[in-house]
Amino acid sequence: MAEVEKILTSRIGTKSSSDIDSAMQNGAYEALIKALTKMTPEQVLNEVKTANLKGRGGAGFPAGIKLSFLPKDKKSIKYLVCNADESEPGTFKDRLLIENDPHRILEGIIIAAYAVNATSGFIYIRGEMASGAKILEKAISQAYERHFLGKNIMGSGLDFDIYLVRGAGAYICGEETALMNSIEGKRGEPRTKPPFPANYGVYGKPSNVNNVETYANIPTIIEKGGSWYSKIGSQDTPGTRLFGLSGHIKKPGIYELKSNVTLRELIYDFGGGILGDKKLKAVIPGGSSVPVLKADEINVTMDIQGLKKVGSMPGSGGVIVLNETVCIVKALLNLITFYERESCGQCTPCREGTHFLRLLIENIEKGEGVEGDCEKILSICKNIMGRTICPLGDAAVMPVESFIKKFRDEFEFHIKEKRCLPETFKMTTIFSE
Amino acid sequence: MADTDSKGPNYPENVKTTTSPKETTEPLKGKNPGDIGATIRIQIDGIDVKVPLGTTILEAAKSAGIKIPVLCYHPKLKIAGNCRVCCVEVQGARTLQPACATPVAPNMVVWTSTPKVKQSIKTVVNLLLASHNCDCLVCDAAGACELQNLAYELGIDVRSRQFPISCNTLPEIDSSSPVLQYDSSKCIQCTRCIRACSEVQGKGIIAALHRSKNVMISAGIRNWSDSRCDGCGECVQACPTGALSQKVSPKVRVWEARKVRTSCSYCGVGCQLDMWVSENKLVKVEGADIVPNYGSTCVKGRYGHDFLNSSERLKTPMIRRNGVLQEATWEEAISEIAFKIKKIKGEHGNDAIAGLSSARVTNEENYLFQKTIRAAIGTNNVDHCARLCHASTVAGLAQAFGSGAMTNSIAELEHAKCILVTGSNTTETHPVIATVIRRAVREHGTKLIVVDPRRIDLVNNATLWLRQKNGTDVAWINGMMNVIISENLHNRTFIEQRTEGFEELRKIVEKFTPESVEEITHIPARDLIEAARIYAKAESSSIIYSMGITQHTTGTDNVLSIANLAMLTGQIGKPFSGVNPLRGQNNVQGACDVGALPNFYPGYQKVSDTLIKEKFEKAWGVKLSSKDGLTIIEMMNAIEEGKIKGLIVMGENPMVSDPNLKHVEKALRKTEFLVVIDIFMSETAALADVVLPAASFAEKEGTFTNTERRVILLREVLKAPGQAKPDWQIICDISSALGYEMKYHNAAEIMDEIASLTPIYGGIHHYRLQEKGIQWPCPNDDHPGTVYLHKDKFSRGLGKFHPVDFIPPDEIPNEEYPFILSTGRILFHYHTGTMSRKSVPLNEYVATGYAEIHPDDVKKLGLEDGGKVLISTKRGKIETIVKSTEKVAPGSVFVPFHFAEAPANMLTNDALDPIARIPEYKVAACKVEKPH
């Protein structure tokens, strides 16, 4: 087991880690002070770029480059948005940071604000995270008290406010443009792009949206330098990642690891192996939206390159482990039901497509499937993929396509035999409805 | 349904803008700002296409004649990109791209009908069909349904359906609105209705409800009728399927009906309507996608035309015999008129006869009417209800600028940086202009200032609302000018070069400091200062006003003050800036233009001017009177005094519309001979000696002139009922019978005669009006018409400042009559209700009169919301229903005047403006009490 450098979770576990005093005893806001007093905004932005920090929300876009899309002038209104609407099934890493080290997130946002001359920031937190919202609220007010927020922060000339906005229970609001609509009090529906958020974001102003974990990396990058950071772990996703292990695993939880850790290490070394010492059947390696892997595909690193080899991606870092008792059809039904319900209903292919996908999969699961259903499902998938305004359509399709392609026999068995595979039983709830 | 040829509502017609219209008017449409620029070359289906950067693939394809199917796209609306039927292949792109939302890029290569694209369209349409309640057999939209057409085009029959039917075929239909209904099972969630309501109408009443497959649209909490929807039907027109439809099924298929374009007669906006007819029955009405309304209408225009087929229409001439009106032939009726008129003429002279022309009928008819009164009868006693609405505008603006009409075009309003609305409840009286104002605010950031004693609807969109005390307009306007001058915000160059009389103005406004104005008007000084600054500093400021300014004993003063304000700041004579009186009735502008006024021949040529008189004498071949005729109120007085014996009324209803009705009734009953030409048995017609049945606006040809001076065409949509005839034919018959031969083959011929005698109409002929009409002044056949007035030079040369002092209203509240009464119109009814009150849906909205009273007063007086109330003034009293609302200020009462059973004009004051002779409808002292 490789020695793990704690970047994101270093303060978690210390006493009252969410409180500003205790956080500051453990180094909070030192990077901010360094940035404000010793660095120019350009230098800060360059460090983030050099670090090659990749977005941790799922798409893995380089955060420094994204930040630099914002207009460069000092006068215009610019918004930073922190996406804390963590709702992807199997993903619970941001919640850990929010509840235990909110100041790391705030510090990251404020440093980013300094780098791009942003005027205000919004933290959009998932509606269900009531306690997280309270903790963040308190943290924000503490940051104001210490003058890390507000007018002329630490005498640097930077004016920056953070507003906390709570969602109302829609997965789609984690999509950046739907999130912006929701902040504006509109229906949470993704916007067509272009215009892109960097030009036309919240309230029509240039905006930058990043994930909680992405922001949380920034203080360390400033503290230790971009090039130091870029050398940690895998080249394509430098730094550490928070992996959330769940499902049929002995030690579920959040693990901060370098991204070149292999999936096998993650499951067996860190996660302690499969629950009930059963056989591993399948793993969803990066949140419910990424293609599923079979048991023999786990000898890959958890970075972009590694997972690409087996047709999947790191996504949000939520690793869902399924053992041999799982009926794969039922598991997929569970997932597609989620996506059907969470489709905002704008685009025809997603709104109608996810509905018919669910109907077809439900039929198979109920023993009412007919020959050719799998083809039909794949054909619908083909016509949803890439045909929608936002990636929810793609997110719904990827598990469906991969489940069928990788477990085709089990689907055909269901269709022919009208029942589950003998070794599986009606799955107890892994994903809560 | 979507006419992809239109430019959309955002293009001001012929507006000479300083910036390119692209920059100022195009909505973002899925483009990055700054994308607009050079022409680039792209390739679509192997064809080279050159388009400006910023164009979408869809627009580019259209310009190359390549059709890409669309459903959620509508040329008037912002891009939603949600239906995904327009997805095309772009070389190098990972996925298919929506053509409507994807801007072109240099050297882009696009393919619109590859197998992949075709498969994608088919899948989308299949998905939609599976969830669509395909009851096309009985759906009103069949034949006009875009989904049906697309399925037909793609040949998707039952066998090639890919998905099981998955819709609720027995849905609950929301038919709670009086005019429309929503069937969610036919909804394809394209959001065109939502965007139409929000972007075009600026109302934002419709929203999407639920998510995923349960998405439906909704207005109101439970039912459509719970919402603020006023039934304009913009959403229905935008709906591509039968989801939103007209409530009453026409039971006629689109392909069995024919479409006739004509002009709406419900107000001065002059909306162009496409009326669908079949077998002389009106099937449906749509807004035509052309200036000035670009597809929009109000609830009256779209759903209020059922009166045309009303059984109560007058169908035969009638003569009063033994005190009872009895059916007669045209010959009998006309000879009766000729005999009686000749008799009165012989006994009492020409001036014993008077005529009330009409703001409802065409220019041609108004022209012939005044010609008949002047040439056949030999008097200038001709007037019409413009006297009651904008006489003070005509008088005031003529003095200040040289001509009295809207200086700008409706479309320009959308791009004014500041709009000041005063004395106009635009939302109710000129609904489609209100949408333009709301769009200006919502889409272009225009600052809206509302000055009105009532909390009118536009206050919701206003930057600033100044609530003045009724009848104190000169004071606040002078106050604004005081601020402007003291803060040095006046436009010195403009004042020096374009105006005269500034020094006198400066002196008079000196005493109107914001503090002293606050005392008179109750407008907080701070707000007045703010308003003055916004108005003066804006790059372009447009003033909109209406009856709230004109219907006062100081009406002309009010108008002069407004003109002063505009000239002081140089906010006139340029695009988007000016003084814009909104004309109330459909052809009140035209009726004035063509001389239905006692002191003017057509084109505001003075009756008293000998040269002008000679010109008309020559043209009409008869000697004319050089004496100014009497105005409406003066006519009523003259009848009472026995000076006028005979009265011909065409399309007016003074028994409801004129102030101090008791007096009017007394006068009308006293006439020796009263002729009424109308489409219904109006309250006035009921008193007549001869009643002649007229064809309605939809049953004849001719022109109206709308409030923006645009002469627009009427076309014959339906055949007139029974023996009813167009007014111009009736007038010709009367004139000829009176011995002054009058014969025309058609309305176009009459317009040619008008053009030959009326310089401002010099180039106006029917053949030139076919497409979108012409705005006068249009001096000759080559002139394109005039978008905005007073560019470089005022009509009178220099603009003239008129120093105006504040004079309180004629009647102010006292101990006996402690409330201020004000009257006006409401959205759902029009004028005296002869048309609108015969319409079923309009009456479902509002069936009867009421009085708006502040909740505090309701409580204080022991009244009840919805209960009865007695309102009285020195002149009369009415009993009506209480509407408790904070729209009116405490101490004020508002009564709409449409309702003969509770006629507001029983109460109104017939005190006149000394110059314009307009009565003070807007202020009267009244008593409010519980009926005993």
Side-chain angles (χ1 to χ4, degrees):
Chain A
M1 230 189 279
E3 188 65 25
V4 179
E5 179 124 18
K6 298 265 196 265
I7 293 176
L8 298 160
T9 56
S10 65
R11 288 199 287 265
I12 295 176
T14 62
K15 200 178 160 212
S16 39
S17 59
S18 69
D19 186 72
I20 197 161
D21 288 322
S22 108
M24 283 180 74
Q25 274 165 24
N26 291 305
Y29 295 107
E30 277 169 18
L32 175 65
I33 293 164
K34 179 181 174 190
L36 293 180
T37 54
K38 299 202 177 99
M39 296 167 79
T40 65
E42 294 72 31
Q43 284 171 331
V44 173
L45 187 57
N46 272 333
E47 289 303 324
V48 179
K49 279 190 192 164
T50 311
N52 194 19
L53 171 63
K54 296 286 174 68
R56 300 292 203 249
F61 195 83
I65 294 176
K66 202 190 212 181
L67 276 169
S68 65
F69 288 155
L70 286 173
K72 301 280 179 290
D73 68 300
K74 291 191 174 168
K75 280 184 193 148
S76 65
I77 293 174
K78 278 165 276 185
Y79 295 129
L80 290 186
V81 181
C82 173
N83 185 347
D85 189 57
E86 182 175 61
S87 338
E88 176 95 348
T91 310
F92 44 96
K93 63 188 179 67
D94 294 342
R95 180 176 163 191
L96 181 87
L97 289 172
I98 292 166
E99 291 179 355
N100 295 290
D101 196 359
H103 290 288
R104 186 179 296 278
I105 305 165
L106 297 182
E107 188 180 2
I109 298 172
I110 303 165
I111 294 171
Y114 177 66
V116 295
N117 279 302
T119 32
S120 308
F122 296 93
I123 300 176
Y124 186 90
I125 186 167
R126 178 177 174 175
E128 291 88 335
M129 289 194 203
S131 68
K134 260 187 209 147
I135 292 164
L136 263 177
E137 218 162 81
K138 187 177 159 211
I140 291 170
S141 74
Q142 286 181 332
Y144 270 105
E145 280 163 24
R146 303 299 167 93
H147 206 195
F148 295 130
L149 282 172
K151 293 258 174 275
N152 192 15
I153 296 170
M154 312 296 296
S156 65
L158 174 69
D159 299 338
F160 188 70
D161 295 297
I162 290 181
Y163 302 93
L164 184 70
V165 182
R166 287 186 65 186
Y171 171 67
I172 192 62
C173 289
E175 194 279 340
E176 60 177 4
T177 56
L179 184 153
M180 295 188 301
N181 275 344
S182 181
I183 287 179
E184 291 179 19
K186 294 176 182 157
R187 186 175 157 88
E189 278 179 345
R191 303 172 180 174
T192 47
K193 293 187 236 178
F196 291 96
N199 285 317
Y200 192 91
V202 184
Y203 297 110
K205 302 295 176 199
S207 304
N208 177 283
V209 185
N210 267 307
N211 173 259
V212 167
E213 187 188 337
T214 315
Y215 280 118
N217 272 295
I218 293 178
T220 313
I221 290 171
I222 296 306
E223 200 183 322
K224 302 201 171 166
S227 73
W228 171 86
Y229 183 91
S230 72
K231 293 188 187 89
I232 299 170
S234 159
Q235 284 308 291
D236 69 29
T237 317
T240 55
R241 290 206 66 164
L242 297 181
F243 292 104
L245 272 179
S246 65
H248 294 134
I249 189 93
K250 283 186 179 158
K251 294 198 286 179
I254 298 287
Y255 293 86
E256 180 176 4
L257 301 166
K258 292 174 189 168
S259 57
N260 57 0
V261 65
T262 66
L263 184 50
R264 176 175 293 281
E265 287 170 326
L266 193 55
I267 294 171
Y268 289 98
D269 298 349
F270 294 97
I274 310 300
L275 196 66
D277 290 323
K278 303 266 186 198
K279 257 167 59 188
L280 175 68
K281 183 167 187 175
V283 192
I284 302 175
S288 64
S289 305
V290 305
V292 68
L293 301 180
K294 292 179 81 164
D296 57 0
E297 293 173 318
I298 61 169
N299 294 318
V300 290
T301 50
M302 288 295 285
D303 51 10
I304 297 170
Q305 286 307 320
L307 286 165
K308 200 176 174 185
K309 282 182 205 151
V310 286
S312 193
M313 41 196 159
S316 63
V319 178
I320 305 166
V321 179
L322 308 178
N323 74 11
E324 58 186 334
T325 65
V326 172
C327 168
I328 214 76
V329 179
K330 173 86 181 176
L332 182 60
L333 177 60
N334 198 330
L335 284 179
I336 191 63
T337 307
F338 171 80
Y339 287 107
E340 181 198 15
R341 197 182 58 213
E342 296 298 339
S343 166
C344 78
Q346 266 197 103
C347 303
T348 312
C350 173
R351 177 186 68 240
E352 308 292 339
T354 53
H355 170 70
F356 287 106
L357 284 177
R358 196 260 300 157
L359 276 188
L360 287 164
I361 295 164
E362 195 171 57
N363 281 350
I364 298 174
E365 201 277 331
K366 280 195 295 196
E368 291 166 11
V370 294
E371 218 185 300
D373 273 359
C374 287
E375 259 66 41
K376 209 174 212 173
I377 290 171
L378 291 174
S379 139
I380 298 177
C381 287
K382 233 168 79 189
N383 284 295
I384 296 178
M385 192 77 187
R387 305 281 159 82
T388 51
I389 291 173
C390 83
L392 191 136
D394 298 357
V397 161
M398 281 191 287
V400 176
E401 269 186 336
S402 64
F403 268 65
I404 292 189
K405 280 181 186 159
K406 295 199 170 165
F407 298 93
R408 181 69 177 255
D409 293 349
E410 193 168 339
F411 281 87
E412 297 295 353
F413 182 89
H414 260 265
I415 292 170
K416 274 203 199 87
E417 304 291 329
K418 318 275 180 217
R419 60 188 171 94
C420 297
L421 275 179
E423 67 268 29
T424 66
F425 53 85
K426 293 276 178 180
M427 190 178 62
T428 47
T429 314
I430 284 183
F431 319 106
S432 61
E433 282 262 355
Chain B
M1 218 182 252
D3 174 9
T4 40
D5 275 313
S6 81
K7 288 188 208 155
N10 298 315
Y11 262 95
E13 275 292 314
N14 308 324
V15 170
K16 295 174 192 89
T17 51
T18 42
T19 46
S20 94
K22 205 110 209 165
E23 284 167 44
T24 53
T25 65
E26 276 281 278
L28 262 176
K29 275 203 180 165
K31 294 164 196 163
N32 274 326
D35 266 357
I36 294 143
T39 302
I40 56 157
R41 185 192 298 271
I42 66 163
Q43 206 188 63
I44 307 177
D45 291 348
I47 302 169
D48 275 334
V49 189
K50 272 201 218 156
V51 284
L53 206 59
T55 314
T56 62
I57 295 176
L58 185 71
E59 290 160 346
K62 199 178 148 264
S63 74
I66 296 165
K67 198 183 157 205
I68 297 174
V70 289
L71 283 173
C72 71
Y73 172 83
H74 190 289
K76 278 172 75 170
L77 306 174
K78 286 186 193 163
I79 298 300
N82 61 34
C83 75
R84 313 312 271 189
V85 299
C86 71
C87 283
V88 293
E89 232 175 317
V90 175
Q91 211 159 293
R94 191 174 54 88
T95 56
L96 297 186
Q97 301 293 309
C100 69
T102 310
V104 294
N107 303 317
M108 192 181 240
V109 178
V110 178
W111 300 98
T112 70
S113 53
T114 59
K116 195 172 165 191
V117 171
K118 281 185 179 162
Q119 182 53 45
S120 164
I121 298 172
K122 243 188 169 147
T123 304
V124 169
V125 176
N126 257 307
L127 284 168
L128 287 171
L129 287 176
S131 296
H132 185 79
N133 182 6
C134 299
D135 71 344
C136 308
L137 287 176
V138 291
C139 181
D140 285 339
C145 172
E146 292 174 36
L147 180 64
Q148 188 190 44
N149 291 347
L150 198 51
Y152 181 63
E153 226 170 272
L154 296 170
I156 301 178
D157 62 0
V158 179
R159 277 157 303 222
S160 59
R161 291 283 188 87
Q162 288 172 315
F163 308 104
I165 290 172
S166 176
C167 78
N168 181 3
T169 49
L170 293 170
E172 260 184 52
I173 296 174
D174 183 349
S175 52
S176 61
S177 156
V179 295
L180 57 85
Q181 59 183 22
Y182 174 63
D183 178 348
S184 62
S185 71
K186 292 179 191 164
C187 180
I188 59 167
Q189 291 87 12
C190 66
T191 69
R192 269 160 54 164
C193 53
I194 298 175
R195 286 175 282 149
C197 188
S198 156
E199 294 165 20
V200 180
Q201 284 289 325
K203 291 175 187 155
I205 288 161
I206 309 178
L209 202 64
H210 309 307
R211 52 190 175 187
S212 69
K213 226 181 104 57
N214 303 320
V215 169
M216 57 186 287
I217 61 149
S218 141
I221 292 174
R222 235 167 292 111
N223 295 315
W224 209 279
S225 55
D226 300 335
S227 73
R228 282 171 45 241
C229 172
D230 63 11
C232 73
E234 189 84 46
C235 54
V236 176
Q237 188 158 334
C239 181
T241 69
L244 275 166
S245 62
Q246 175 177 321
K247 191 169 176 182
V248 182
S249 167
K251 302 287 178 214
V252 176
R253 289 303 192 187
V254 169
W255 55 83
E256 288 169 352
R258 74 196 158 86
K259 186 167 82 171
V260 186
R261 174 152 312 170
T262 195
S263 305
C264 183
S265 75
Y266 263 128
C267 79
V269 178
C271 290
Q272 295 298 292
L273 303 179
D274 283 334
M275 291 190 144
W276 295 76
V277 278
S278 168
E279 294 176 354
N280 210 37
K281 200 185 132 208
L282 191 61
V283 174
K284 66 168 174 179
V285 179
E286 284 177 334
D289 202 352
I290 197 161
V291 68
N293 52 314
Y294 297 102
S296 300
T297 73
C298 73
V299 62
K300 297 189 293 293
R302 200 181 300 272
Y303 300 115
H305 282 113
D306 45 340
F307 74 86
L308 290 169
N309 292 334
S310 163
S311 59
E312 291 175 47
R313 284 288 299 276
L314 293 177
K315 296 185 188 73
T316 49
M318 280 187 268
I319 299 176
R320 190 173 296 277
R321 293 181 180 117
N322 306 321
V324 184
L325 280 172
Q326 293 176 346
E327 289 190 2
T329 65
W330 274 106
E331 290 71 27
E332 286 167 349
I334 297 290
S335 56
E336 170 82 3
I337 293 168
F339 173 75
K340 287 278 174 60
I341 297 280
K342 278 184 194 161
K343 184 167 166 262
I344 295 171
K345 259 179 80 165
E347 287 170 9
H348 305 283
N350 299 350
D351 289 339
I353 296 162
L356 284 186
S357 197
S358 173
R360 310 285 274 280
V361 306
T362 65
N363 289 322
E364 291 78 0
E365 289 159 345
N366 271 293
Y367 172 80
L368 289 192
F369 190 87
Q370 60 88 33
K371 185 178 174 186
T372 301
I373 298 289
R374 292 190 158 117
I377 298 173
T379 174
N380 284 316
N381 286 341
V382 58
D383 202 5
H384 71 286
C385 66
R387 183 66 48 203
L388 309 176
C389 60
H390 270 297
S392 32
T393 295
V394 175
L397 294 189
Q399 283 179 38
F401 304 151
S403 64
M406 244 176 106
T407 59
N408 301 71
S409 302
I410 295 168
E412 282 174 70
L413 286 173
E414 191 166 342
H415 306 287
K417 299 280 184 238
C418 162
I419 301 176
L420 191 158
V421 177
T422 181
S424 160
N425 187 359
T426 322
T427 316
E428 311 230 19
T429 59
H430 300 81
V432 171
I433 292 182
T435 69
V436 178
I437 298 172
R438 282 196 296 263
R439 276 207 301 277
V441 173
R442 289 170 63 120
E443 306 288 331
H444 307 283
T446 299
K447 293 232 160 88
L448 174 64
I449 303 168
V450 174
V451 190
D452 205 295
R454 290 171 73 213
R455 195 185 193 289
I456 58 169
D457 173 72
L458 280 180
V459 170
N460 296 328
N461 299 82
T463 304
L464 215 51
W465 171 39
L466 313 185
R467 182 177 229 174
Q468 86 275 38
K469 228 175 94 187
N470 301 46
T472 61
D473 300 290
V474 166
W476 70 258
I477 302 170
N478 277 351
M480 267 177 77
M481 291 194 280
N482 176 295
V483 175
I484 289 166
I485 294 173
S486 66
E487 298 196 359
N488 231 339
L489 297 171
H490 51 304
N491 186 335
R492 284 159 196 279
T493 330
F494 187 90
I495 295 167
E496 260 164 47
Q497 293 174 355
R498 305 270 321 258
T499 67
E500 55 185 331
F502 173 63
E503 274 315 309
E504 290 85 340
L505 178 80
R506 182 207 286 276
K507 264 180 231 144
I508 198 111
V509 302
E510 242 166 36
K511 63 179 179 192
F512 288 90
T513 59
E515 294 71 28
S516 67
V517 170
E518 180 166 347
E519 258 172 52
I520 304 171
T521 64
H522 297 179
I523 296 172
R526 202 189 48 205
D527 290 354
L528 188 80
I529 294 169
E530 178 71 12
R533 287 177 186 159
I534 294 173
Y535 176 82
K537 284 182 186 170
E539 198 182 301
S540 51
S541 287
S542 201
I543 301 175
I544 290 178
Y545 74 84
S546 206
M547 313 294 83
I549 286 294
T550 60
Q551 289 177 336
H552 290 281
T553 45
T554 56
T556 308
D557 286 353
N558 292 347
V559 173
L560 286 170
S561 297
I562 282 178
N564 288 342
L565 177 62
M567 289 191 289
L568 182 70
T569 47
Q571 299 286 24
I572 186 162
K574 56 182 189 181
F576 321 124
S577 286
V579 172
N580 294 298
L582 300 184
R583 307 304 301 258
Q585 300 220 45
N586 52 309
N587 197 31
V588 66
Q589 183 66 54
C592 292
D593 294 346
V594 299
L597 297 169
N599 50 343
F600 289 121
Y601 288 118
Y604 307 98
Q605 303 177 84
K606 281 189 180 145
V607 163
S608 53
D609 184 324
T610 324
L611 280 178
I612 299 287
K613 189 174 78 119
E614 278 167 12
K615 174 171 108 174
F616 280 91
E617 283 176 339
K618 203 172 147 212
W620 293 345
V622 66
K623 279 271 161 221
L624 296 169
S625 165
S626 58
K627 198 176 114 197
D628 279 359
L630 299 181
T631 62
I632 289 190
I633 310 293
E634 289 166 338
M635 283 179 196
M636 295 301 159
N637 293 338
I639 295 170
E640 257 212 312
E641 289 160 18
K643 289 182 193 153
I644 287 181
K645 306 279 182 191
L647 182 66
I648 308 174
V649 179
M650 170 174 71
E652 294 232 328
N653 192 6
M655 274 296 293
V656 181
S657 64
D658 291 15
N660 196 357
L661 280 184
K662 254 196 204 159
H663 174 69
V664 174
E665 184 172 354
K666 219 164 125 196
L668 289 179
R669 285 191 188 279
K670 208 178 163 191
T671 49
E672 206 172 300
F673 186 61
L674 175 65
V675 182
V676 173
I677 311 170
D678 211 315
I679 63 171
F680 284 107
M681 184 59 77
S682 67
E683 289 74 9
T684 307
L687 300 178
D689 298 294
V690 178
V691 178
L692 303 175
S696 75
F697 80 102
E699 295 149 2
K700 63 187 174 191
E701 288 177 339
T703 57
F704 292 155
T705 304
N706 79 349
T707 185
E708 56 168 357
R709 298 168 279 106
R710 187 181 300 276
V711 186
I712 46 181
L713 270 188
L714 279 186
R715 293 188 181 81
E716 188 178 331
V717 182
L718 300 165
K719 291 264 166 293
Q723 300 174 38
K725 282 203 247 185
D727 301 71
W728 64 269
Q729 288 178 10
I730 300 173
I731 303 160
C732 284
D733 292 347
I734 295 175
S735 183
S736 300
L738 285 169
Y740 183 77
E741 199 58 39
M742 207 179 256
K743 199 169 168 60
Y744 298 90
H745 293 98
N746 50 41
E749 216 174 275
I750 307 169
M751 184 50 87
D752 292 343
E753 184 176 317
I754 298 173
S756 71
L757 290 165
T758 314
I760 53 173
Y761 276 55
I764 291 180
H765 303 283
H766 282 204
Y767 73 87
R768 292 190 67 198
L769 306 175
Q770 297 298 330
E771 191 63 15
K772 42 191 176 184
I774 296 175
Q775 288 175 282
W776 67 258
C778 173
N780 57 58
D781 292 3
D782 303 317
H783 196 281
T786 308
V787 174
Y788 64 92
L789 301 179
H790 315 306
K791 185 175 186 276
D792 306 325
K793 190 169 162 279
F794 283 102
S795 310
R796 75 180 285 278
L798 289 179
K800 188 165 169 42
F801 286 109
H802 290 80
V804 181
D805 207 345
F806 169 68
I807 304 167
D810 180 68
E811 222 177 61
I812 40 178
N814 51 39
E815 236 170 71
E816 195 185 352
Y817 298 106
F819 281 80
I820 296 182
L821 169 79
S822 172
T823 67
R825 265 162 66 177
I826 60 169
L827 173 66
F828 301 104
H829 287 287
Y830 181 53
H831 210 236
T832 66
T834 33
M835 287 150 49
S836 61
R837 295 198 73 195
K838 306 275 187 321
S839 160
V840 177
L842 295 182
N843 282 289
E844 209 176 307
Y845 278 110
V846 175
T848 183
Y850 55 83
E852 290 181 357
I853 304 172
H854 193 275
D856 294 352
D857 292 332
V858 171
K859 217 170 144 193
K860 227 187 303 175
L861 296 167
L863 300 167
E864 254 177 274
D865 190 19
K868 288 199 169 144
V869 60
L870 191 70
I871 300 174
S872 47
T873 64
K874 278 188 214 160
R875 291 156 295 278
K877 59 182 172 194
I878 61 166
E879 197 178 274
T880 187
I881 289 162
V882 177
K883 191 169 179 182
S884 172
T885 168
E886 286 174 6
K887 252 169 130 174
V888 288
S892 295
V893 181
F894 174 82
V895 181
F897 71 79
H898 311 286
F899 305 96
E901 67 277 17
N905 284 321
M906 273 298 195
L907 310 170
T908 46
N909 189 354
D910 53 357
L912 299 183
D913 174 286
I915 300 160
R917 322 298 293 163
I918 189 169
E920 187 150 67
Y921 284 103
K922 292 296 179 192
V923 188
C926 73
K927 184 158 68 185
V928 179
E929 60 196 327
K930 215 173 168 168
H932 321 291

